[in-house]
Amino acid sequence: MATEAAHLQIQFHGRVIEHLGIDMYQSPVAAIAELVSNAWDADATEVSISLPMNVRSGSEILISDNGDGMTLTQCQDRYLKVGYNRRLEQDAEKTPAGRPVMGRKGIGKFAGFGIADLVDVDTVSKETGERTVFRLDVEKLTGSGAGYADNTPMEVEVLNYSGPDDQMKSQHGTRIRLQQLTMKKTPNSDQFRASMARRFLLLERAEDFSVTVDGTPIAGEDDSERIEFDYPTDYATKQIPAGLKIEDKWGVETLPNGEEIRWRFVFYKDPIQEEDLAGISVFSHHKLSQRPFTFNLSGGFGAQHAINYLSGRVQADYIDDQEKDLISTERQRINWDSEQALPLLKWGQDRTKSLLRIWQGRRAEAKVSAMNSRMAPFSNRLSKLEPFEAKIVKRALTAVARVSVLSDSQFDDLANAILGAWEGGRLKELINELSNSAELDAEELVGILAKSRVMTALHAAEHVRSQLNLINGLEERIKAKQLENAVRDYIAQNPWMISPEWETFRVERGLSNLMKEIAKETLDKEDAWKARVDLVLSSGDQLLVLEFMRPGKTADWDHVYRFERYIDSIRDVVDGRRAEYRSVTGLMVADKLERPAGLARKLEKLRRDGMDATDWAGLLAKAKSQWQDYFDILYARAPEDERMRALATGDRDEGAPEEDDSGDA
């Protein structure tokens, strides 16, 4: 049969596409996950997903698998049949290879329309070697008919068809090309892989199915460094629930209705920020059926704040085996009011509340243990206190350590503030109150700290004071013309001194060779850039490039243009490599900056584009002003405190920094 003689039709109203595709699958991960599920049901062993480098005209997403493919007849009778239920139509709960069938509703094939207006399907049948290529255009599909009841069949464009061919059987599989993308944002490969992995249990349960994104396999995240407790393996012997079996780190239990489930819950060291990781996900036949939630718990139970640290997965295949479909159309929610789902809901509520209470105790023990190990650096300071004073301070630190919602860094800050305050003769009444609180929760801690804003204000003011002193030190180096490695190293250790917003930036060494190569083409040809100092800093997905011109040189128009070209060249390379950095900004610093007509306007345009050029005097004056404004705000919180007054006096003194005999920097 020639391509001209091959015909396909689809019969439904266009609004079905709107409801079942466009409206429900607007997330790239959600849409493509449905297509991966179809590949699983086609007994594919490999699925390849190719994402676009940029979402723009002509970009596309390609999903390829080596599954069984389809004949022309199967394309018509199965793929283009809206609501085709494989389990009922073929009377099979498993695929020919013995896999549990994921598909049920027969609408996942339309998920691509949630992120694309054009879908091309290219499939080769393993059974016959037929190749069928057809196109679904959302504009044509949704633009016909005037009502929901229109049953007029619509012709589907067949792009290519070749009949049965034994030699083609070995090339079996299906390629789906999503074109005319409607996404607003280019998907990040690493984030996409992580989110895709969270939608399936394939990594734990199936060894003969691999999914790659841009050539890299999706994989379970190695969060071992972030995870504090892992259940059921971290149960103490006396805590193990009756009837629980542990198999390969997963718990296996039987519900009161006789159905078996598997589960694994973990608690992270810090609150979970990722939406698709926070809470418990429920899977049926390897596929997500309930997005992360907390079994509809709504409060009124102990340690509920621990939910912010909890992530887990439950495998409940029976949910998808019921005669009545219990899973929502977009496979995001289970009907928890159904009689079959209620036992799982009740189990989840009981198991979650039990583990939250266990976590609270374990977390407190871990905090106290960590606190004891952190006490060593304070031993000299504690030894200078009277024995009864040291006892009070230790009790106060222990009480704070038991507040489980505090991160390690928050505890460190509070512990230093408490010890420093006692040494300085401040807030002894407050610390006594802390030490007498045997069971201190977060609300009580906030109440105690609210009695005095001095502790936090003074602690922050001391920090700001040290920043200003370091900026003074940098000024001395500039005046002494120490503009080579000494200045670079000084700023590398303290990038915040240029601006408070840089406090989280750290030296990025991995791109140093790249920067040198680009600099040779854009900067080094000019004498003023030779022997310059360069520094690359990063924070998250931000990259900050600093270039300090050669000592004694004055920056002019040409230098500004060269610097702009340098930063733009770096951006081009970073974008081309699809690197982890989404933002590249730059700062050029010179001894002096010319002020010819028009340069100020040019610099303003550069600032809006993430680039700036200045001289040392202007840079440091701006930094000092910002930190001084911060200090003034803190001073206003406790102007009556003698220590705060001393800091304020010293802060406005251009002389040496004030001595601090407390030993608290």
Side-chain angles (χ1 to χ4, degrees):
M1 185 189 299
T3 299
E4 299 77 28
H7 292 282
L8 293 172
Q9 293 181 331
I10 188 167
Q11 185 173 341
F12 65 97
H13 189 274
R15 291 182 184 174
V16 173
I17 292 292
E18 294 179 357
H19 293 318
L20 302 186
I22 299 174
D23 291 345
M24 290 197 306
Y25 296 104
Q26 295 182 3
S27 157
V29 174
I32 296 175
E34 289 298 323
L35 303 180
V36 172
S37 299
N38 290 346
W40 166 270
D41 287 346
D43 280 332
T45 59
E46 298 176 359
V47 180
S48 171
I49 302 168
S50 178
L51 301 176
M53 294 184 64
N54 291 289
V55 176
R56 58 190 175 193
S57 178
S59 61
E60 61 183 29
I61 295 175
L62 181 64
I63 303 96
S64 305
D65 70 62
N66 65 347
D68 291 342
M70 295 176 288
T71 64
L72 180 68
T73 300
Q74 289 169 339
C75 288
Q76 178 63 72
D77 296 343
R78 299 180 185 180
Y79 196 93
L80 296 177
K81 182 176 181 180
V82 180
Y84 176 81
N85 188 327
R86 175 172 179 167
R87 302 184 196 182
L88 293 179
E89 302 279 352
Q90 300 184 38
D91 191 24
E93 292 291 333
K94 293 185 179 296
T95 69
R99 294 175 174 175
V101 174
M102 286 188 185
R104 176 166 182 164
K105 298 175 174 62
I107 61 173
K109 68 196 84 175
F110 297 129
F113 288 123
I115 58 174
D117 286 340
L118 207 63
V119 177
D120 284 357
V121 180
D122 184 344
T123 183
V124 176
S125 169
K126 182 178 181 180
E127 178 184 354
T128 66
E130 290 175 67
R131 182 187 178 206
T132 307
V133 186
F134 60 92
R135 170 170 292 174
L136 298 174
D137 186 331
V138 73
E139 183 177 354
K140 294 180 180 178
L141 295 176
T142 59
S144 65
Y148 283 100
D150 189 346
N151 292 318
T152 304
M154 180 184 296
E155 289 293 321
V156 171
E157 183 180 3
V158 178
L159 303 178
N160 193 4
Y161 174 77
S162 56
D165 184 342
D166 288 342
Q167 294 184 346
M168 286 289 292
K169 291 180 180 180
S170 62
Q171 300 179 38
H172 59 87
T174 300
R175 293 163 57 89
I176 296 180
R177 193 180 301 275
L178 305 180
Q179 303 173 82
Q180 296 183 14
L181 302 178
T182 57
M183 302 180 301
K184 303 298 183 185
K185 184 179 179 181
T186 301
N188 176 276
S189 290
D190 292 337
Q191 295 174 353
F192 189 94
R193 275 190 288 271
S195 295
M196 184 65 68
R198 291 169 185 166
R199 285 182 168 264
F200 297 96
L201 284 180
L202 299 171
L203 301 172
E204 290 86 355
R205 311 257 72 87
E207 297 179 355
D208 59 344
F209 188 72
S210 68
V211 181
T212 61
V213 177
D214 291 334
T216 302
I218 67 171
E221 298 168 280
D222 183 11
D223 275 359
S224 56
E225 293 298 320
R226 297 172 59 194
I227 292 174
E228 189 169 22
F229 305 117
D230 188 345
Y231 292 96
T233 53
D234 278 350
Y235 270 129
T237 302
K238 62 181 180 180
Q239 296 172 336
I240 298 178
L244 172 68
K245 295 184 294 183
I246 301 177
E247 298 178 356
D248 193 24
K249 297 185 177 182
W250 284 69
V252 181
E253 294 191 68
T254 302
L255 300 177
N257 62 356
E259 301 289 354
E260 184 178 273
I261 62 170
R262 299 169 61 89
W263 63 274
R264 185 176 181 183
F265 294 0
V266 298
F267 287 95
Y268 283 72
K269 297 175 182 177
D270 298 309
I272 301 171
Q273 303 299 324
E274 300 96 319
E275 183 179 354
D276 57 357
L277 185 63
I280 309 301
S281 302
V282 181
F283 296 81
S284 301
H285 297 310
H286 308 307
K287 188 178 181 182
L288 184 71
S289 53
Q290 169 67 57
R291 63 175 179 262
F293 79 140
T294 52
F295 292 100
N296 298 336
L297 291 171
S298 58
F301 55 93
Q304 62 191 66
H305 59 271
I307 285 177
N308 298 320
Y309 299 78
L310 175 63
S311 178
R313 290 170 291 175
V314 175
Q315 181 181 353
D317 291 342
Y318 87 93
I319 288 292
D320 200 25
D321 292 336
Q322 304 302 310
E323 182 176 349
K324 182 179 180 180
D325 198 348
L326 305 182
I327 305 172
S328 65
T329 304
E330 80 283 13
R331 295 194 68 94
Q332 295 287 293
R333 301 179 308 279
I334 292 172
N335 178 9
W336 294 108
D337 292 329
S338 65
E339 180 181 351
Q340 298 88 343
L342 280 174
L344 176 59
L345 181 68
K346 180 63 167 57
W347 170 89
Q349 292 175 341
D350 292 343
R351 184 65 63 245
T352 299
K353 288 190 287 188
S354 171
L355 284 173
L356 293 181
R357 289 191 293 269
I358 291 173
W359 174 88
Q360 186 178 41
R362 290 285 299 274
R363 178 84 167 191
E365 292 171 5
K367 283 288 184 183
V368 173
S369 176
M371 186 264 315
N372 289 334
S373 66
R374 288 195 294 263
M375 289 298 291
F378 303 142
S379 59
N380 288 335
R381 293 164 65 182
L382 287 171
S383 66
K384 296 177 182 179
L385 300 178
E386 294 294 331
F388 80 92
E389 291 182 310
K391 185 176 182 180
I392 292 172
V393 174
K394 284 183 178 180
R395 282 207 309 262
L397 294 178
T398 301
V400 174
R402 290 185 180 277
V403 180
S404 53
V405 295
L406 291 178
S407 67
D408 288 343
S409 61
Q410 290 171 327
F411 170 75
D412 286 342
D413 287 342
L414 274 174
N416 273 299
I418 289 170
L419 188 51
W422 188 278
E423 292 168 330
R426 308 184 308 273
L427 308 173
K428 290 194 173 184
E429 182 179 349
L430 173 64
I431 296 170
N432 265 306
E433 187 172 352
L434 283 171
S435 74
N436 291 326
S437 302
E439 295 295 332
L440 185 69
D441 62 20
E443 186 175 350
E444 289 174 318
L445 176 61
V446 170
I448 291 174
L449 293 179
K451 293 179 181 179
S452 175
R453 302 173 70 196
V454 176
M455 176 182 287
T456 51
L458 187 57
H459 181 69
E462 289 170 342
H463 172 67
V464 174
R465 163 68 184 189
S466 67
Q467 315 299 62
L468 286 165
N469 286 340
L470 284 171
I471 293 176
N472 289 335
L474 178 57
E475 281 187 312
E476 293 301 319
R477 283 167 169 76
I478 300 301
K479 292 175 183 177
K481 303 298 182 182
Q482 297 179 13
L483 287 175
E484 295 296 335
N485 292 334
V487 168
R488 179 179 58 189
D489 294 344
Y490 199 75
I491 294 178
Q493 294 170 10
N494 309 284
W496 49 263
M497 69 173 57
I498 303 302
S499 176
E501 66 189 66
W502 294 2
E503 196 154 16
T504 61
F505 281 77
R506 298 291 182 268
V507 175
E508 171 58 65
R509 304 187 188 282
L511 299 176
S512 59
N513 290 334
L514 169 64
M515 302 300 180
K516 290 178 181 178
E517 291 176 10
I518 299 175
K520 286 180 181 179
E521 294 298 318
T522 56
L523 300 179
D524 289 353
K525 295 179 180 180
E526 167 65 38
D527 181 66
W529 291 103
K530 294 178 180 178
R532 73 191 190 283
V533 177
D534 62 283
L535 186 63
V536 184
L537 305 172
S538 65
S539 178
D541 60 2
Q542 293 180 278
L543 196 68
L544 176 62
V545 181
L546 289 87
E547 287 291 336
F548 307 129
M549 285 183 58
R550 184 177 176 183
K553 293 294 182 179
T554 299
D556 56 19
W557 272 100
D558 183 64
H559 300 128
V560 171
Y561 278 128
R562 285 180 181 275
F563 179 69
E564 180 183 19
R565 180 186 167 198
Y566 175 53
I567 298 300
D568 283 339
S569 297
I570 294 171
R571 289 171 173 173
D572 287 344
V573 174
V574 170
D575 289 344
R577 294 187 176 187
R578 301 186 68 181
E580 59 185 294
Y581 301 107
R582 296 291 186 91
S583 170
V584 179
T585 57
L587 174 64
M588 180 184 83
V589 185
D591 277 6
K592 294 180 181 180
L593 188 64
E594 282 190 356
R595 300 291 181 179
L599 184 58
R601 187 180 298 273
K602 173 64 177 178
L603 294 179
E604 182 58 35
K605 290 181 180 178
L606 286 180
R607 292 186 189 102
R608 290 197 294 269
D609 192 30
M611 290 176 267
D612 198 2
T614 186
D615 55 25
W616 281 108
L619 183 70
L620 296 181
K622 179 181 177 181
K624 291 182 72 173
S625 176
Q626 289 175 321
W627 284 106
Q628 185 63 57
D629 289 345
Y630 184 18
F631 181 89
D632 290 343
I633 293 172
L634 296 169
Y635 179 82
R637 296 180 183 176
E640 73 288 344
D641 186 85
E642 293 184 3
R643 182 66 177 272
M644 185 69 83
R645 291 178 181 176
L647 283 174
T649 302
D651 189 52
R652 291 167 174 78
D653 184 0
E654 295 298 328
E658 174 184 290
E659 291 293 331
D660 185 349
D661 59 7
S662 69
D664 190 12

